[in-house]
Amino acid sequence: MYTLVRRFIKTGIGFLAVGLALGAYMLVRRELGGVWPDPYLVSAHAHAVLGGFVLYLILGVALWLFPRAEKGDTRYRPARIEAAYWVLTLATALRVGTEISRGWITAPWQPWAIVAGGVGQAAGIGLYFWTMWSRIRPVGSHLREARGERF
């Protein structure tokens, strides 16, 4: 497993830790304090666990397991995947962090930061899959399917 794959997976685990801590906090307050969680905290929890942990694991494992780019492939460049990683990571952290802050304070910049985080997440995911598109291809399976083999 190479560095960028490990980075995706370890970042996902970091977002899982944030999501679990936030989830435990909301659960304790609800069950022991009778205080229902703020919708922004629920959204932050969901984005940390799903947008952070689950997505990062999927992206990291896909990067690791998909067939290597063909020689001459001009679309796939590891630097673009690294750029997608940084855009997605910063955007997800911005979104999760700002939604957590909205659970306690309200400031005029927060909606803009949440929107910027969401747009950044979409851009990061888009860049990742645009770059990976050429790696989503058959490697021998199309020959076995032509011979009648079923998977």
Side-chain angles (χ1 to χ4, degrees):
M1 197 180 297
Y2 58 94
T3 303
L4 193 53
V5 171
R6 287 192 313 271
R7 190 181 307 156
F8 268 101
I9 292 172
K10 287 182 177 184
T11 301
I13 293 168
F15 278 118
L16 177 63
V18 170
L20 290 175
L22 185 55
Y25 168 79
M26 291 186 301
L27 180 66
V28 167
R29 284 187 40 106
R30 187 189 73 199
E31 295 303 321
L32 302 180
V35 178
W36 282 87
D38 185 278
Y40 288 107
L41 294 180
V42 174
S43 181
H45 169 70
H47 279 92
V49 174
L50 297 175
F53 174 65
V54 173
L55 183 62
Y56 275 79
L57 251 57
I58 291 169
L59 298 179
V61 170
L63 185 60
W64 182 30
L65 294 179
F66 281 15
R68 290 181 183 253
E70 293 178 330
K71 291 190 186 323
D73 182 356
T74 58
R75 184 180 303 179
Y76 181 78
R77 293 188 188 149
R80 287 185 185 155
I81 294 295
E82 186 158 3
Y85 167 83
W86 284 111
V87 169
L88 186 57
T89 300
L90 294 173
T92 302
L94 176 64
R95 184 163 183 181
V96 170
T98 305
E99 287 183 340
I100 288 172
S101 75
R102 279 201 86 171
W104 290 282
I105 62 169
T106 301
W109 59 267
Q110 289 168 316
W112 291 102
I114 291 170
V115 169
V119 170
Q121 287 176 306
I125 293 167
L127 178 58
Y128 178 93
F129 282 108
W130 181 80
T131 303
M132 289 290 287
W133 190 259
S134 61
R135 289 182 60 183
I136 305 171
R137 66 183 196 285
V139 179
S141 61
H142 65 291
L143 299 174
R144 291 192 310 271
E145 287 174 348
R147 290 191 305 258
E149 187 175 337
R150 299 287 175 233
F151 299 94

